[in-house]
Amino acid sequence: MPYARYGETLESVTKQVEGIRDAFGKGLTRTELQQSLPAGAARNAVDCALWDLESKLGEAPTTLCGLKPVATALTIGIDTPDAMGRQAKRLANAPVVKVKLDAGDVEACLRAIRHAAPNPDLIVDPNESWDIKLLQSLQPLLEELRVAFVEQPLPSSEDARLAELVRRVPVCADESCHTSDDLDRLSGLYDIVNIKLDKTGGLTEAFRLLQAAREKKFGIMVGCMISSSLSIVPALQIAMQADYIDLDGPVWLKNDRTGGVSVKDGWMMPPEPGFWGTAEAVPLL
């Protein structure tokens, strides 16, 4: 999914993919792809297609599965407290609910949501809209309402301010974490990192980020942009090893890919066999 936040458009991403067409004709490998395109949506599309191909040819170096149901967060969009409470009531039986917020009516919105949905794990995502003063003042409320963590509360340019935070709930890096190269500067500031394949530029770097983040004792979330099942199933490879999963991108589409994933009451059902990768699991190398 081309993401305007990083200057991507459908046109720019298509141009990037077309730009390496000749290199593929000369045998460009998935390893070489990592240096041929920057991390982003274009490299993600090509990288995941190559994983699919390698898997179907029996050449993939790792498990490509996602063949069991997983609990995925379902999202409540920004609205009035009453409206968000009504959304939450419909999701009261889901295992995980993710709440989009800005800096307005935070307490009223969160209380309405938690009252309507007392049981789900709750993720709060301000999308860079808070400042450190607001984040600090909300710590008692977040703890009281049993918020699992706050995702990217501050602008990524203000990451250093998190060193001032006396936290009662964990903080997750989203826009601040793209690839494994980001982890050193995030250590001590964030507790969790959100791995999105459109940020890592594909499954190859996503696996690297997963391993490096685990070594540095970060919690793992796997997320997505609004996308079809063809983008979600590769991300399920990371989800199998993640602490939190937010892969409801296809839920927001009128039409998804035939044979893809489905979501019922917060549980993501696997795609049909052969949709992407293989149905046969092999050990990680």
Side-chain angles (χ1 to χ4, degrees):
M1 175 63 187
Y3 196 21
R5 167 73 167 72
Y6 306 119
E8 294 179 329
T9 65
L10 286 170
E11 292 75 19
S12 71
V13 168
T14 301
K15 184 177 180 179
Q16 283 181 301
V17 174
E18 290 293 339
I20 59 173
R21 178 185 291 273
D22 290 345
F24 268 104
K26 298 175 183 178
L28 183 73
T29 66
R30 183 165 47 81
T31 300
E32 292 167 341
L33 174 66
Q34 309 307 304
Q35 284 73 52
S36 299
L37 288 177
R43 195 175 81 186
N44 179 31
V46 179
D47 184 79
C48 289
L50 284 175
W51 275 98
D52 184 20
L53 177 61
E54 291 174 24
S55 180
K56 287 179 167 58
L57 293 175
E59 300 172 356
T62 188
T63 299
L64 296 182
C65 52
L67 300 180
K68 65 178 183 179
V70 295
T72 181
L74 298 179
T75 303
I76 295 176
I78 298 175
D79 210 319
T80 64
D82 286 345
M84 295 181 81
R86 290 193 294 272
Q87 291 183 63
K89 188 174 182 179
R90 292 193 291 269
L91 302 179
N93 294 322
V96 186
V97 170
K98 179 172 174 175
V99 181
K100 296 282 190 177
L101 290 173
D102 55 22
D105 290 330
V106 174
E107 181 170 359
C109 290
L110 286 179
R111 288 197 181 279
I113 290 164
R114 184 46 99 191
H115 177 76
N119 296 322
D121 287 348
L122 203 59
I123 299 169
V124 172
D125 183 9
N127 271 119
E128 301 184 279
S129 66
W130 293 0
D131 58 28
I132 189 64
K133 183 178 179 180
L134 177 59
L135 177 60
Q136 186 65 71
S137 70
L138 289 170
Q139 292 300 299
L141 176 70
L142 298 172
E143 183 180 39
E144 175 195 342
L145 298 183
R146 296 175 284 112
V147 169
F149 61 88
V150 180
E151 182 183 350
Q152 197 67 46
L154 308 185
S156 58
S157 60
E158 297 182 16
D159 283 340
R161 299 297 304 272
L162 290 171
E164 307 167 24
L165 181 65
V166 181
R167 67 194 67 195
R168 298 193 185 185
V169 300
V171 182
C172 175
D174 182 5
E175 284 80 3
S176 293
C177 183
H178 290 239
T179 70
S180 53
D181 292 339
D182 295 317
L183 292 178
D184 283 342
R185 65 178 178 81
L186 300 180
S187 293
L189 301 175
Y190 289 95
D191 309 288
I192 304 166
V193 293
N194 186 350
I195 300 175
K196 291 180 178 176
L197 271 61
D198 276 317
K199 293 188 301 174
T200 65
L203 190 54
T204 301
E205 175 58 27
F207 274 125
R208 290 196 192 107
L209 176 53
L210 171 68
Q211 181 177 356
R214 285 296 191 202
E215 290 173 354
K216 293 181 179 295
K217 309 302 182 185
F218 285 99
I220 303 296
M221 177 184 186
V222 59
C224 66
M225 310 302 185
I226 293 178
S227 57
S228 77
S229 288
L230 196 57
S231 187
I232 295 302
V233 178
L236 283 174
Q237 316 313 312
I238 305 300
M240 296 300 120
Q241 304 176 62
D243 303 303
Y244 292 93
I245 300 168
D246 178 23
L247 295 178
D248 67 344
V251 171
W252 299 93
L253 300 181
K254 182 177 181 180
N255 297 301
D256 190 15
R257 296 266 182 166
T258 301
V261 300
S262 59
V263 178
K264 182 180 175 69
D265 294 330
W267 287 91
M268 178 166 284
M269 304 296 127
E272 294 179 0
F275 178 80
W276 186 90
T278 66
E280 182 178 350
V282 296
L284 285 169
L285 298 180

